[in-house]
Amino acid sequence: MTVLAEIKARIARAAEAENRPAESVKLLAVSKVQPRDRVAAALEQGHRIYGENRVQEAQGRWEPFRKAYADIDLHLIGPLQTNKVKPALDLFNTIHTLDRDRLARKLADEIQARGVAPDLLVQVNIGQEAQKAGIDPAKADVFIAACRNEYDLPVIGVMAIPPFDEPPEPHFKALADIAYRNGLDEISMGMSADFESAIAHGATMIRVGSAIFGARDPSGAV
Ligand SMILES: *Cc1c(COP(=O)(O)O)cnc(C)c1O
């Protein structure tokens, strides 16, 4: 069994343990910083959903791959600067990191000009860490409502990266609560070390990098 097939089998088991179909969990293969040949191998094995965290790095890599594979589903999971909104909209099907008014306004203007929109998730700084991106959990409901009603943005879910040095479960639960009380279907949480637990707490999109592709080269790590 390939590594990718093993991860998919683990996802299916974790989902079935919650009486959910395996297809209710979308696996984003996080390809940031990984060598091109590892990503090409995953594409050859049929995987089509990928996560990247830098717009420019993703452009260089995915524009050529898209010529070979028309059905690639690309997700931005890293911070988005307002001056990168245009290239981000050119490239990504889904953006997981909507977290502030200025970005919401810029996205709304650009989406209106184009008449097409990516799916959007609101990133929540679920552990309230000073260095981390994301809207404060206490402000999440108001921000989600503003994104939908003021900016008319297609928000489909929430995303978070729990603190690295704490058990993730309370944070998974808190993020899922925000999704449920705002009527949002998609919950993006869980990485290589904890995706099964994230699925147990309701994750619908998991972001798995090193468990699929191997450790990232620290010299290029982000
Ligand atoms: C890098 C990254 C991941 C994947 O991390 P792994 O531990 O390699 O699975 C998931 N989410 C985000 C936002 C990331 O930046």
Side-chain angles (χ1 to χ4, degrees), residues 30 32 53 77 159 161 191-193 207-211 216:
V30 177
K32 65 180 183 198
N53 71 341
I77 61 172
M159 176 273 216
I161 312 164
M191 313 193 344
S192 291
R207 312 177 307 261
V208 180
S210 45
R216 284 180 289 277

Side-chain angles (χ1 to χ4, degrees), residues 78-100:
L80 178 55
Q81 306 306 320
T82 47
N83 65 359
K84 295 277 170 57
V85 160
K86 286 184 187 194
L89 291 178
D90 289 339
L91 193 61
F92 292 100
N93 304 92
T94 304
I95 294 172
H96 291 228
T97 50
L98 170 54
D99 66 352
R100 60 200 190 279

Side-chain angles (χ1 to χ4, degrees), residues 120-132:
L120 297 171
L121 285 81
V122 166
Q123 182 176 358
V124 181
N125 186 355
I126 202 72
Q128 295 173 284
E129 296 170 280
Q131 79 285 7
K132 219 167 245 174

Side-chain angles (χ1 to χ4, degrees), residues 199-217:
I199 292 168
H201 289 83
T204 63
M205 296 178 172
I206 61 171
R207 312 177 307 261
V208 180
S210 45
I212 294 173
F213 296 113
R216 284 180 289 277
D217 175 357

